[in-house]
């Protein structure tokens, strides 16, 4: 079983890439998609604005090179922390036809829309990905995850929330240092101090592997 981490990026945030590469991405298969080309970075757009996330995501999802096609794909952001050990355990029994992540419902233009948080990260099995590759269309929402959710609704793809992916740091959920190693992901981990702290908390799991 192999997971490729596919991470949204921009040229002005090189330090975020370095933080991930020096912590949880060590020894993992990964690629960044961005507005520039670099080591392990694919340029999918020349737009550097925040709103470019939608176009970047669509371009990467619809046109991802085959060399990144592994059994599972995990899409996330350059300020996401992922507990790779718990994720690897999770996918051994995960439904291969569903999208797994934190499923949220906060798009003001459509109260009925549920979608996987992009920042928390979501996983998709290769078989399901290949069925969807090339089918996603722009919705001009300015948000990659909202647009993804609209497409999933149109294409009737199921979603599952195991309550292990989180779109905010641990403090938002009152997660203790004992809770954190049991979870898969947290978003908005922007400082070196916090990224290293989370990595150190899950390090014992990595050692046991």
């Amino acid at each position: 079983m192999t997971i490729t981490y596919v991470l949204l990026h921009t040229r002005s945030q090189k330090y975020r890439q370095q933080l991930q590469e020096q912590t949880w991405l060590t020894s993992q298969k990964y690629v960044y998609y961005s507005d520039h080309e670099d080591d392990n970075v694919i340029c999918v757009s020349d737009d550097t604005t925040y709103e470019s996330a939608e176009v970047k995501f669509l371009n990467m999802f619809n046109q991802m090179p085959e060399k990144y096609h592994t059994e599972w794909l995990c899409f996330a952001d350059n300020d996401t922390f992922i507990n790779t050990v718990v994720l690897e355990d999770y996918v051994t029994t995960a439904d291969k036809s569903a999208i797994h992540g934190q499923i949220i419902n906060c798009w003001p233009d459509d109260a009925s829309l549920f979608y996987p948080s992009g920042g928390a990260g979501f996983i998709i099995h290769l078989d399901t990905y290949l069925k969807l590759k090339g089918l996603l269309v722009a919705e001009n929402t300015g948000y990659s995850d909202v647009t993804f959710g609209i497409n999933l609704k149109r294409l009737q793809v199921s979603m599952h929330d195991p309550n292990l992916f989180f779109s905010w740091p641990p403090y938002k959920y009152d997660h203790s240092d004992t809770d954190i190693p049991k979870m898969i992901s947290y978003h908005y981990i922007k400082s070196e101090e916090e990224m290293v702290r989370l990595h150190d908390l899950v390090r014992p799991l990595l050692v046991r592997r």
Side-chain angles (χ1 to χ4, degrees), residues 22-35:
Q22 293 165 8
T23 53
W24 65 268
L25 270 182
T26 302
S27 302
Q28 302 299 319
K29 184 176 177 66
Y30 66 93
V31 61
Y32 288 86
Y33 61 101
S34 182
D35 41 62

Side-chain angles (χ1 to χ4, degrees), residues 6-65:
V6 186
L7 304 160
L8 175 64
H9 195 28
T10 185
R11 70 184 69 189
S12 64
Q13 297 173 344
K14 175 70 174 178
Y15 67 97
R16 292 189 183 180
Q17 178 185 348
Q18 293 171 337
L19 279 181
Q20 290 180 324
E21 290 177 331
Q22 293 165 8
T23 53
W24 65 268
L25 270 182
T26 302
S27 302
Q28 302 299 319
K29 184 176 177 66
Y30 66 93
V31 61
Y32 288 86
Y33 61 101
S34 182
D35 41 62
H36 74 296
E37 198 88 24
D38 204 344
D39 293 338
N40 296 312
V41 181
I42 293 176
C43 181
V44 294
S45 169
D46 59 5
D47 190 342
T48 62
T49 64
Y50 180 84
E51 292 75 16
S52 69
E54 178 181 7
V55 171
K56 288 174 181 172
F57 172 74
L58 291 173
N59 287 347
M60 187 60 173
F61 195 99
N62 285 331
Q63 304 172 39
M64 189 190 305

Side-chain angles (χ1 to χ4, degrees), residues 41 46 50 60 71 91 104 123 126 131-132 147 159 169 176:
V41 181
D46 59 5
Y50 180 84
M60 187 60 173
E71 186 176 358
V91 298
I104 58 178
I123 58 169
L126 183 61
K131 291 176 182 177
L132 300 178
T147 288
M159 294 174 281
S176 68

Side-chain angles (χ1 to χ4, degrees), residues 114-129:
F114 287 82
Y115 55 95
S117 163
F122 65 85
I123 58 169
I124 180 172
H125 189 268
L126 183 61
D127 291 346
T128 300
Y129 168 73

Side-chain angles (χ1 to χ4, degrees), residues 6-185:
V6 186
L7 304 160
L8 175 64
H9 195 28
T10 185
R11 70 184 69 189
S12 64
Q13 297 173 344
K14 175 70 174 178
Y15 67 97
R16 292 189 183 180
Q17 178 185 348
Q18 293 171 337
L19 279 181
Q20 290 180 324
E21 290 177 331
Q22 293 165 8
T23 53
W24 65 268
L25 270 182
T26 302
S27 302
Q28 302 299 319
K29 184 176 177 66
Y30 66 93
V31 61
Y32 288 86
Y33 61 101
S34 182
D35 41 62
H36 74 296
E37 198 88 24
D38 204 344
D39 293 338
N40 296 312
V41 181
I42 293 176
C43 181
V44 294
S45 169
D46 59 5
D47 190 342
T48 62
T49 64
Y50 180 84
E51 292 75 16
S52 69
E54 178 181 7
V55 171
K56 288 174 181 172
F57 172 74
L58 291 173
N59 287 347
M60 187 60 173
F61 195 99
N62 285 331
Q63 304 172 39
M64 189 190 305
E66 287 189 14
K67 68 177 181 178
Y68 300 113
H69 291 187
T70 53
E71 186 176 358
W72 289 91
L73 301 169
C74 179
F75 286 81
D77 286 357
N78 65 8
D79 58 348
T80 307
F81 171 82
I82 296 179
N83 184 338
T84 59
V85 174
V86 174
L87 181 56
E88 288 167 11
D89 287 343
Y90 178 77
V91 298
T92 61
T93 58
D95 180 355
K96 296 178 181 179
S97 66
I99 308 297
H100 302 258
Q102 183 181 28
I103 309 306
I104 58 178
N105 168 231
C106 56
W107 180 237
D109 292 355
D110 182 357
S112 70
L113 181 67
F114 287 82
Y115 55 95
S117 163
F122 65 85
I123 58 169
I124 180 172
H125 189 268
L126 183 61
D127 291 346
T128 300
Y129 168 73
L130 291 177
K131 291 176 182 177
L132 300 178
K133 185 177 182 181
L135 299 181
L136 303 193
V137 298
E139 297 289 344
N140 301 313
T141 66
Y143 296 94
S144 60
D145 50 7
V146 175
T147 288
F148 189 44
I150 294 172
N151 278 273
L152 293 178
K153 184 177 182 179
R154 173 176 57 84
L155 296 167
Q156 298 183 312
V157 180
S158 62
M159 294 174 281
H160 177 66
D161 187 341
N163 201 33
L164 295 170
F165 298 79
F166 297 95
S167 55
W168 290 92
Y171 75 86
K172 282 279 189 177
Y173 310 96
D174 293 322
H175 286 178
S176 68
D177 287 0
T178 303
D179 296 324
I180 290 169
K182 302 172 186 176
M183 308 306 171
I184 289 176
S185 71

